[in-house]
Amino acid sequence: MTTVESASRTQARAAARRPPPRAWLIAGILAAWVLLWVPLRGRHTLALDNSQLTGAQQQLNELRDKVVVARGSNPFFTDFVNVIRTGIDRLTELIQSLISQPAYDRPVPVIGWLGVVALAALGAYAFGNWRAAGVAGLGFTSFGLLGYWQQSMDTLALTIAAVLISLAIGIPAGVWMGLSRPVERALTPVLDFMQAVPTFVYLAPLTLFFLIGPASAVIATLIYAMPPVMRLTAFGIREVQESALEASRSLGATRWQLLRKVQLPLAKRTIVVGINQTTMCALSMVTIAALIDAPGLGRVVLRALQILDVGTAFRAGLAIVIMAIVLDRVTTAASVRADVTARGGAAGSRQRRWVLGALGALTLVALYLAYTFVWAAIFPGSDTGGLLGARLARAVEGISDWVQANLAGITEATRNGFSYGLLNPLQDLIAGSPWYLVCAVVLALAAVLGGWRVLPVVTVCLGLLLASGLWQDSMVTLTATLIATCVVMLLGVVFGVWMGRSDRADRVLRPVLDAAQVMPAFVYLVPFLGLFGPSRFTAIVAAVVFGMPVATKIVADGIRAVPPTVLEAAAASGSTSWQVITKVQLPLARRALALATNQGLIYVLSMTVVGGLVGGGALGYLVVAGFSQYSLYGKGLAAGVAIALLCILLDRITQAAARRAGARS
């Protein structure tokens, strides 16, 4: 037997014998919690009615009133905030005047639907390939067929404006991060915060300064969408091989020439991947920004959800999904083409130039027709709900009505069984415990899972949650988040192990998970609203479906990363497939499991809050109420801060747990 095989067998046997670390300690903490909860239940829970305001929340209302008064005279607003808002509004209005809104004394935009479709197909082919061009052409045409051409173009206009500004700031900042380690260390915590905090949190503070409308929507989108392109640009710059840099320096290249002619070209594919991620994040945020009166498809979905119009919500949600698929496929094709170009691939370049020329000529004809003729400017059937949209909405409404009429017993039993059997008891434990008991349990679990270093951050977050006046609402939201995360991890482990052990399963499931991951959060609410109606259960199920793709892929990658020699040694020692999974692969993939839990929590928390639109209640409801009710603005703002604190608390604990798991592997 070779030394490698012997070591592998030793590692496999050690993994099989190793008991779950600190499991008994965690069980003891939870048992002590339950025992103390029995006599202390319902005491010092810091409950607050939805209509009540604490002193701090009332002060936030007063701050809003002062800002409103000062907006027209204070130099900070007149010379800084208003200038930024005006600039962003003008950029957005310019793009809207080109593709979506009547402009320049014309009843139609400058570029009608036919011109936009032709431009989309041309751009997709120029930056990608024929397949991307076909997807773009068909996808854009479907917006009109669904009856939402103008709303789709408004969404696209906001997305383009946000992406342009994100790239203008993010790529140079990413290059700076890639060239300077101190800059990277300084900006990384900021980017972590921007990505970890749910998107809801950005909206209320921004409206305080930039008012509701496109400007606030674009700025909120910037905050959420800029980190991916910054991180990936920095990564691409750092990954350029030192040999290429040394060769250029030996030829006398300056730092500027080195960056422009070596580092940026070699990092092009990674940067384009960052553009893809930023674009998808921007689209997701633009739809959610309908809460602050951003125009487009998000506004249609929001209004439909508010009146429980499942057909309209499904139709607009389908348009959002199609736009996400189009943007994802085009930018992905662009990244692949950038990689081929970087490797020197130029096969068929002459033919490609001829095709581009022909497509360019056809696009010019389409632009002329779209500018000149009404039929090419306004999509046919727009005034009647689209050629397919109205019928699709009626069909979905019919299906929803049939489900609620014929399957109401099943759906209600499922919802009630989940609520009374799991959700309510756990919520009674967490939200019904005294605040000091919950704090003690959280600190103890944080120390066990993440170590002592995480305790200062956890302590600060708990203290600020208490100060927010929304402790019990925070605990209700925490309950839903924990339940949804447990379900996400259960499904993620099942499907992730399957994908990690089977190439065929990976080939089938991964594209589905990739497609599910690019869809905006709003979309997930629609089908479950039709099935289960407005309820906490609907919000939790949507959160599970939203968070499962990322967790599943991380688990699959962790299972696949287990060394084959270890698996062979386990099989040679007589282990069954179940023993290999439970005693070898899952223990050795504990870092991936911890990371999947971290990402699942972040996704679930953001979606649980969005679920406030369909009866999720607690912090999500309060955030929405803060936008819609003038007197509850301060409470909605405090709820947004509480969400951010919960997110930071959970993120830091799970990240620390992932690091400790990696150190033990």
Side-chain angles (χ1 to χ4, degrees):
M1 182 184 299
T2 64
T3 304
V4 174
E5 292 175 345
S6 177
S8 299
R9 293 196 176 189
T10 302
Q11 187 176 7
R13 286 194 296 269
R17 291 194 305 265
R18 189 180 300 137
R22 297 182 295 278
W24 288 109
L25 186 56
I26 294 174
I29 294 172
L30 296 178
W33 184 9
V34 173
L35 290 175
L36 290 172
W37 167 77
V38 173
L40 298 175
R41 178 184 178 186
R43 302 181 185 180
H44 307 293
T45 59
L46 306 182
L48 188 70
D49 290 340
N50 288 337
S51 59
Q52 288 182 300
L53 298 178
T54 65
Q57 294 164 7
Q58 186 61 48
Q59 289 178 358
L60 290 174
N61 278 349
E62 295 171 358
L63 174 63
R64 176 209 46 206
D65 296 337
K66 292 178 181 178
V67 169
V68 171
V69 172
R71 186 171 285 119
S73 58
N74 191 295
F76 173 74
F77 290 96
T78 57
D79 298 337
F80 180 68
V81 173
N82 291 347
V83 171
I84 295 175
R85 179 168 59 85
T86 301
I88 293 176
D89 279 338
R90 288 180 178 175
L91 174 62
T92 305
E93 290 167 1
L94 172 62
I95 301 174
Q96 287 179 304
S97 68
L98 291 176
I99 63 175
S100 66
Q101 296 291 338
Y104 307 113
D105 299 323
R106 288 164 47 88
V108 294
V110 175
I111 305 175
W113 74 269
L114 187 62
V116 173
V117 171
L119 280 174
L122 175 64
Y125 181 77
F127 293 103
N129 50 39
W130 271 115
R131 184 178 297 177
V135 170
L138 292 175
F140 272 67
T141 303
S142 70
F143 300 147
L145 295 175
L146 290 170
Y148 287 130
W149 176 263
Q150 182 174 339
Q151 293 89 338
S152 299
M153 293 303 100
D154 281 331
T155 297
L156 183 63
L158 289 178
T159 302
I160 291 173
V163 169
L164 288 176
I165 300 174
S166 294
L167 300 184
I169 300 173
I171 291 179
V175 170
W176 193 18
M177 289 175 61
L179 297 175
S180 173
R181 289 291 182 181
V183 172
E184 180 190 11
R185 287 193 292 269
L187 291 181
T188 296
V190 179
L191 298 181
D192 290 341
F193 179 82
M194 292 166 67
Q195 285 189 290
V197 175
T199 52
F200 257 116
V201 178
Y202 304 139
L203 301 181
L206 289 173
T207 59
L208 183 65
F209 294 96
F210 296 98
L211 304 178
I212 63 173
S216 293
V218 170
I219 294 173
T221 304
L222 285 176
I223 297 173
Y224 183 63
M226 197 186 305
V229 75
M230 290 180 63
R231 291 183 188 276
L232 287 169
T233 298
F235 177 77
I237 293 295
R238 287 195 304 269
E239 289 299 301
V240 174
Q241 294 182 356
E242 187 63 29
S243 58
L245 300 178
E246 289 296 334
S248 300
R249 292 192 189 101
S250 66
L251 295 175
T254 63
R255 293 184 63 182
W256 170 246
Q257 291 173 326
L258 203 64
L259 175 64
R260 185 167 57 91
K261 296 185 177 181
V262 180
Q263 291 171 298
L264 285 176
L266 292 179
K268 183 178 180 181
R269 172 175 167 75
T270 306
I271 294 173
V272 175
V273 173
I275 295 173
N276 169 274
Q277 296 299 305
T278 288
T279 303
M280 303 316 299
C281 290
L283 176 60
S284 177
M285 187 63 196
V286 162
T287 56
I288 293 176
L291 286 167
I292 53 175
D293 204 34
L297 294 167
R299 183 185 291 177
V300 178
V301 176
L302 177 61
R303 290 176 178 173
L305 291 175
Q306 290 172 338
I307 61 174
L308 304 182
D309 185 352
V310 179
T312 300
F314 180 86
R315 182 162 55 121
L318 180 60
I320 295 172
V321 171
I322 293 172
M323 184 174 292
I325 292 172
V326 170
L327 295 178
D328 180 60
R329 292 298 179 266
V330 171
T331 50
T332 299
S335 67
V336 173
R337 180 163 182 78
D339 188 39
V340 172
T341 304
R343 296 180 181 181
S349 58
R350 179 176 298 179
Q351 178 184 0
R352 183 177 177 81
R353 285 196 293 269
W354 279 105
V355 174
L356 277 174
L359 287 177
L362 291 174
T363 301
L364 289 176
V365 173
L367 289 171
Y368 170 76
L369 295 174
Y371 186 82
T372 307
F373 299 100
V374 174
W375 65 267
I378 300 176
F379 202 97
S382 297
D383 55 341
T384 59
L387 299 178
L388 297 177
R391 280 178 283 183
L392 178 64
R394 287 194 296 270
V396 172
E397 283 287 353
I399 294 173
S400 177
D401 292 341
W402 183 90
V403 168
Q404 294 186 17
N406 295 276
L407 301 180
I410 298 175
T411 57
E412 186 174 353
T414 303
R415 184 178 65 231
N416 291 340
F418 180 86
S419 298
Y420 292 111
L422 179 61
L423 179 59
N424 290 349
L426 185 60
Q427 181 174 305
D428 196 19
L429 173 64
I430 296 178
S433 295
W435 65 266
Y436 49 83
L437 178 58
V438 176
C439 289
V441 170
V442 171
L443 288 170
L445 291 175
V448 172
L449 293 172
W452 298 104
R453 293 183 179 181
V454 78
L455 290 184
V457 175
V458 174
T459 302
V460 171
C461 288
L462 290 173
L464 292 176
L465 280 174
L466 289 168
S468 71
L470 298 173
W471 176 263
Q472 191 172 59
D473 291 296
S474 300
M475 295 303 101
V476 173
T477 296
L478 177 62
T479 302
T481 301
L482 293 177
I483 290 176
T485 302
C486 290
V487 179
V488 163
M489 288 306 301
L490 177 62
L491 297 175
V493 168
V494 171
F495 288 101
V497 169
W498 186 24
M499 290 171 61
R501 291 173 57 86
S502 170
D503 292 336
R504 179 178 298 179
D506 190 83
R507 286 193 300 270
V508 172
L509 294 179
R510 193 171 289 271
V512 177
L513 297 176
D514 290 340
Q517 201 171 344
V518 303
M519 289 192 292
F522 263 176
V523 176
Y524 289 92
L525 295 175
V526 178
F528 300 111
L529 179 64
L531 280 174
F532 302 107
S535 66
R536 295 178 299 167
F537 180 72
T538 301
I540 291 174
V541 173
V544 169
V545 178
F546 185 57
M548 190 183 70
V550 63
T552 301
K553 291 197 293 186
I554 293 174
V555 172
D557 293 339
I559 294 296
R560 197 171 289 274
V562 175
T565 53
V566 177
L567 302 180
E568 293 170 3
S573 63
S575 299
T576 63
S577 296
W578 176 252
Q579 289 172 327
V580 170
I581 293 171
T582 57
K583 303 295 185 180
V584 179
Q585 288 180 301
L586 288 177
L588 293 179
R590 64 167 64 91
R591 176 172 171 78
L593 293 174
L595 181 60
T597 304
N598 172 266
Q599 293 301 299
L601 271 169
I602 300 303
Y603 275 71
V604 163
L605 182 57
S606 63
M607 189 64 193
T608 302
V609 176
V610 176
L613 296 170
V614 292
L619 294 179
Y621 167 79
L622 293 176
V623 171
V624 176
F627 292 125
S628 58
Q629 301 180 41
Y630 189 82
S631 62
L632 294 181
Y633 178 85
K635 194 163 191 173
L637 189 60
V641 173
I643 294 167
L645 292 170
L646 274 180
C647 187
I648 294 170
L649 184 149
L650 295 172
D651 178 63
R652 289 298 177 265
I653 293 175
T654 51
Q655 278 199 28
R659 286 193 296 269
R660 297 190 75 180
R664 296 197 309 271
S665 297

